[in-house]
Amino acid sequence: VATPELVVDGPALDANIAAMQVLADDAGVTLRPHAKGHRSAWVARRQLDAGATGVAVATVREAATLLEGGITDLLLTSVVAPGRAEELAGLAAAGAALGFVAHTPAVVAALDEAATARGVRLRVLVDLDVGQRRGGVGTPRAAVAVARAVADAGALDLDGVQAYEGHLQGLEDAAERAAGHAAAMARLDAALAALREAGLPAATVTTAGTATAPLAAAHPGVTELQPGSYALMDATYAGLPGVAYAQAAFVLTTVTAVLGLGEVLVDAGTRAVGTDLGPAVVHDLDAVWLPAGDEHGRLRGAVGGLRPGDVVRLVPSHTDTTVVLHPPLAAP
Amino acid sequence: VATPELVVDGPALDANIAAMQVLADDAGVTLRPHAKGHRSAWVARRQLDAGATGVAVATVREAATLLEGGITDLLLTSVVAPGRAEELAGLAAAGAALGFVAHTPAVVAALDEAATARGVRLRVLVDLDVGQRRGGVGTPRAAVAVARAVADAGALDLDGVQAYEGHLQGLEDAAERAAGHAAAMARLDAALAALREAGLPAATVTTAGTATAPLAAAHPGVTELQPGSYALMDATYAGLPGVAYAQAAFVLTTVTAVLGLGEVLVDAGTRAVGTDLGPAVVHDLDAVWLPAGDEHGRLRGAVGGLRPGDVVRLVPSHTDTTVVLHPPLAAP
């Protein structure tokens, strides 16, 4: 085994995909899985085959990668700088059914200009800030202004709003999460009421991550879920209440030396395992992985049975920042 | 500009390369720059053209990448699992003048077997632990045993020892660094004496990182320096006493929204900037970059003059873990 290597447990992945689809279907909403956690057309195809209506992406590069892989129904969930509008219109011209979020009239104008120049139409959602403070519009009045700009633009179709509550995903207390969610949905409802009153009703209302999907699915007015982490999972999400998906992504690493009682050296370091959310854990052993350099790590805990050459599975604390350190995921 | 993007300041890179070469030349030792921080045949070629005798790499994959780029004199500085020996011999058969470090007779046996099968000879150094606790042999007696195994092997050439003092690179106190270095070199000297006594003298004695290069160059017996971070630099090394190289690698990021007084949103997140050694800093502004998700970050500080669309330069806290998040470096 050429470790360190990122591997996927196919049956676990499929079980996760099926479970989230059932959640969406039972609530009567559509599912648009976020692909930023796997960045893989192969995984996205499995999600579409299971019933998803399209996928969400976080960057222009991800959109291009998935389009190359044959995935055409894409929503770019990040607000982009006006300077990228031409590139985005180019993706639409290349065959993508591409949706964008906008947060200022300046971005709307840049998108409209680029779409007009390319002869394409773009679907646009107003990005609402419902508590995350990541660039969305903060008031119902501002939402109406951006929506009006979209509706008045010649090459844009106003489709609705995005109300992603990313600030609630990591909360470890279920009651705190529920209270935060109610507050976020109140902000969403206020914006939706203002848009209706202005004659600009939202057809699509997209929101939710893996931890808030059940709450969002139950909120009247929400039409689409966009969770991502449920597909591959990680140790951080696995520790959250009510999040019951199977771990499907592992980093294989090889023991290279025994350092002492309860400590071994392995060949996975900070360039094989994402560390932004803390140490990884060892699968099926009461032990943790700690970084010991770019290409070295130490396992601490119940590792007395391990010898040089043994291969173990690490569960990353954050799969998103681990996946990007490895070649693109493909069929196991 | 398609941000986030990693860019290199060519003149700063060349100045750093020249300065380290002068340090080595003045001390009468050879320079084998570590390529793990840049992973780029283009940068390695500049280092060789300036006088380096070869490069060091941390992984089999890095060795393969540099070999593809025409760089053939390579030292793999990490101890590898015995199972990778065949792959390493394959690189030698493909034209690499490849050196390895070994820490156990089992690894020596695996390397010898693979080299014999491929009909190649491999240069092997004994990996000494001089305080880092990352798998090297811990006693002069163990060093002699591994060296003897190499000398007795049919397809291996005993070349000397590696005594990397990685545990000293990050120390912020110069006196503490010097004291630690003296202790590390005492361990090296004890191993070298035992090897001489056993009739297995070390021709090559390779050691040093960017922070310890002046100390190592001045130590009698050291023949080769293997620092890496000096080429591109980062904010962590820039804060260390006596480390006076220019910042040569930057992440360009675009402002996407103004969040409030002294805070703006940018399009670089944890998948564009390594965070294992803390937040990045903004070049030429009294401000820091903090992660706000995979693809979002917040600049805090003197950012009142920034508007959406403005592009700023970030100085990563750790270039090694930032470089791997971007396409391979090439000529600016």
Side-chain angles (χ1 to χ4, degrees), chain B residues 19-41:
Chain B
M20 188 62 86
Q21 190 65 51
V22 165
L23 188 156
D25 290 348
D26 285 355
V29 298
T30 58
L31 176 61
R32 178 181 290 279
H34 214 299
K36 78 183 169 74
H38 58 71
R39 280 187 170 178
S40 158

Side-chain angles (χ1 to χ4, degrees), chain B residues 147-168:
Chain B
R148 176 86 64 203
V150 176
D152 291 347
L156 306 181
D157 295 315
L158 179 65
D159 185 38
V161 300
Q162 172 174 267
Y164 179 53
E165 4 74 319
H167 58 300
L168 306 175

Side-chain angles (χ1 to χ4, degrees), chain A residues 207-325:
Chain A
T207 182
T210 293
T212 58
L215 295 169
H219 186 76
V222 169
T223 70
E224 180 179 277
L225 307 180
Q226 52 164 271
S229 296
Y230 73 95
L232 297 177
M233 282 295 286
D234 56 35
T236 303
Y237 265 104
L240 299 177
V243 178
Y245 298 93
Q247 186 60 37
F250 302 91
V251 175
L252 300 185
T253 187
T254 302
V255 176
T256 49
V258 174
L259 295 176
L261 204 63
E263 194 178 27
V264 301
L265 192 73
V266 295
D267 66 357
T270 51
R271 304 211 291 194
V273 182
T275 56
D276 59 306
L277 295 185
V281 298
V282 184
H283 185 59
D284 278 346
L285 274 186
D286 184 17
V288 297
W289 167 94
L290 298 162
D294 291 351
E295 310 293 351
H296 299 80
R298 296 193 180 99
L299 307 186
R300 287 204 185 134
V303 296
L306 295 179
R307 294 290 173 269
D310 288 349
V311 175
V312 299
R313 292 183 160 219
L314 305 180
V315 178
S317 55
H318 195 190
T319 293
D320 289 15
T321 53
T322 299
V323 163
V324 293
L325 300 172

Side-chain angles (χ1 to χ4, degrees), chain B residues 14-85:
Chain B
D14 287 342
N16 293 342
I17 288 174
M20 188 62 86
Q21 190 65 51
V22 165
L23 188 156
D25 290 348
D26 285 355
V29 298
T30 58
L31 176 61
R32 178 181 290 279
H34 214 299
K36 78 183 169 74
H38 58 71
R39 280 187 170 178
S40 158
W42 169 72
V43 176
R45 177 58 59 199
R46 293 181 98 78
Q47 294 173 315
L48 293 170
D49 288 348
T53 53
V55 301
V57 293
T59 68
V60 178
R61 194 171 293 168
E62 284 173 16
T65 299
L66 289 172
L67 186 59
E68 280 168 28
I71 311 294
T72 54
D73 189 339
L74 301 165
L75 172 66
L76 181 58
T77 60
S78 308
V79 295
V80 296
R84 306 300 293 278

